[in-house]
Amino acid sequence: MSAPADPAAAADAAAVPVRVRDGVKYCLLVFLAVRIGLSLLSVAGVGPITPRGGELPAVAGWPIAPLEPGWHNAVDATERQDAAWYLRLATTGYRSDDNSAAFFPLYPLAVRVVALLPFVGPLGAALVVANASFLAALVMLHALTRLEFASEAMARRAVVFLAIFPTAFFFLAPYTESTFLLLSISAFWFARRDRWGWAAVMAALAAATRNVGLLLGPALAVEAWLQWRRDARALVPRMAAAAATALGPLAYLAYWQVRSGDAWAPIRAQTNWNRDLAAPWTSLTDAVHLAARYSSYWLIDLLVVGVVLVAVIAGWRRLRAPYLTYAGLSLLVELSAPTPGRPLLSMPRFVAVIFPAFWVFAFAVERRRLSEPLVVGSFAAGYGVLALLFINWWHVF
């Protein structure tokens, strides 16, 4: 078995009999395992682990309960850091004076809608949206993996490796990661099945969830070109579907134009979150230097990001061009916007959605180039450590 890197040799995905529902049972078991595991870890980890010193931060003006031991942590222990921004946006909306425009709207909008249900509440709605999205994302990843590699074993390994990646607990927290992951995988699924209208919808929604969703556009354009080159399918409609990715951010900019007369508010807000522009290699060089000097968070950032970076580089012959385009651009864009003093801040979370990297791990294990116990053990250990730091308000975000 090998990945269909050569588009001329790739099977017509629209004709491959892969059903999404075939992976539901397995993915549900994996989801329940990590969901229950994180809840138990959260209950056990508040109290024995020393929380971050000093007064806990007031984030976005959203009230977060004091850090106290108890079974309530099984539910609310991930209400940390940026989760407060999404909860506030879902309840009271945007303001023009607090840089909240940097947070794209689809996730808080979905939370607001779900919160209308009785007895749910904002936090409950945020967790429902995030967790349901993650379960659906695992199912879609299973289906897309089988479509691309015709291997049930590859699909199962990719699902497990993604679910236990060191920062995968963010998929279960009130964050955008799981919603974005679901929409980005779905965009590729529909494009590969030659259902470009749905691919456009998924990509546009992904780009309305996180700004890096725009990178799906070039990746889908490559897919459209490969399909045209292989069997002369109509190119223009498929390229138009890829370009439709931009409709998500354009709609958000239009909202700010109507709201405040400043369509560029989201872009300006991004620049106020302590991000600089730099060459990707400069960010990496600085990250290595700081990790060697200080260890701690800098070393964690470098290890987690480095694992994904190495996987993407190693996959250049195994992954099809659209996936390499998406993964490569995602890494380049994130590395081009470092935070002074901690270049890879938040990148361990951002790289978790680069799902083609997990195909590379699965492929390496299948070819016995990596030990499966080593991958599972190191990922799970990293997951446990970083989740404990996160729920105790340490600087993992």
Side-chain angles (χ1 to χ4, degrees):
M1 189 281 299
S2 62
D6 180 4
D12 185 349
V16 177
V18 174
R19 301 178 302 181
V20 172
R21 65 178 180 269
D22 290 341
V24 170
K25 182 178 179 180
Y26 181 79
C27 293
L28 178 60
L29 291 175
V30 172
F31 169 80
L32 289 175
V34 294
R35 177 64 267 180
I36 293 170
L38 179 60
S39 292
L40 293 176
L41 182 66
S42 298
V43 171
V46 174
I49 303 299
T50 303
R52 196 178 86 197
E55 184 178 352
L56 294 179
V59 181
W62 178 261
I64 296 179
L67 194 64
E68 296 177 347
W71 281 100
H72 64 92
N73 290 298
V75 176
D76 63 16
T78 55
E79 188 185 13
R80 302 289 184 265
Q81 309 293 358
D82 283 357
W85 279 103
Y86 295 117
L87 289 165
R88 201 213 77 189
L89 292 174
T91 51
T92 62
Y94 289 95
R95 288 169 41 186
S96 300
D97 60 350
D98 63 355
N99 295 319
S100 59
F103 295 88
F104 274 45
L106 186 68
Y107 177 69
L109 181 60
V111 173
R112 175 174 290 193
V113 171
V114 175
L116 296 175
L117 298 173
F119 312 114
V120 176
L123 177 59
L127 290 171
V128 166
V129 173
N131 283 253
S133 294
F134 185 47
L135 173 57
L138 293 179
V139 173
M140 292 304 299
L141 178 62
H142 183 279
L144 186 60
T145 307
R146 288 188 63 217
L147 186 73
E148 294 293 354
F149 297 92
S151 170
E152 177 68 17
M154 278 276 293
R156 292 189 170 200
R157 286 192 178 102
V159 165
V160 170
F161 293 165
L162 173 65
I164 64 171
F165 187 67
T167 52
F169 58 87
F170 282 107
F171 293 128
L172 301 169
Y175 275 67
T176 62
E177 267 61 34
S178 56
T179 304
F180 180 81
L181 178 67
L182 169 61
L183 293 168
S184 58
I185 295 173
S186 298
F188 281 107
W189 166 263
F190 285 117
R192 289 289 282 144
R193 303 291 287 182
D194 201 26
R195 299 176 67 182
W196 282 89
W198 280 109
V201 170
M202 295 298 112
L205 290 175
T209 305
R210 288 181 53 192
N211 56 1
V212 291
L214 273 172
L215 302 178
L216 289 167
L220 293 178
V222 172
E223 177 63 41
W225 181 76
L226 289 178
Q227 291 184 11
W228 170 78
R229 194 179 74 167
R230 186 170 65 244
D231 55 17
R233 301 183 191 184
L235 180 62
V236 173
R238 290 167 174 78
M239 284 293 186
T245 303
L247 293 178
L250 288 175
Y252 187 44
L253 297 181
Y255 164 80
W256 277 98
Q257 178 63 35
V258 172
R259 174 190 172 94
S260 65
D262 182 11
W264 302 110
I267 298 173
R268 274 191 260 275
Q270 296 281 348
T271 64
N272 292 328
W273 281 92
N274 202 28
R275 295 276 181 181
D276 288 342
L277 289 177
W281 48 88
T282 301
S283 299
L284 281 174
T285 301
D286 291 344
V288 171
H289 172 75
L290 291 168
R293 183 174 181 180
Y294 297 116
S295 296
S296 185
Y297 295 115
W298 294 267
L299 182 58
I300 291 173
D301 292 345
L302 184 62
L303 289 174
V304 177
V305 174
V307 162
V308 174
L309 178 62
V310 169
V312 172
I313 293 173
W316 75 275
R317 291 184 61 188
R318 298 299 178 188
L319 298 174
R320 296 180 65 253
Y323 300 114
L324 278 174
T325 300
Y326 170 65
L329 288 177
S330 295
L331 286 168
L332 288 174
V333 167
E334 298 295 357
L335 287 170
S336 298
T339 299
R342 190 176 168 187
L344 305 184
L345 179 68
S346 292
M347 269 200 72
R349 166 166 63 97
F350 296 156
V351 298
V353 302
I354 304 178
F355 65 88
F358 300 97
W359 286 342
V360 178
F361 287 115
F363 183 85
V365 167
E366 185 163 295
R367 286 298 182 90
R368 298 184 179 180
R369 294 170 183 169
L370 275 179
S371 164
E372 188 164 12
L374 175 64
V375 175
V376 171
S378 57
F379 277 16
Y383 186 112
V385 171
L386 295 188
L388 284 175
L389 292 174
F390 175 71
I391 64 179
N392 284 284
W393 281 100
W394 291 95
H395 293 290
V396 176
F397 42 71

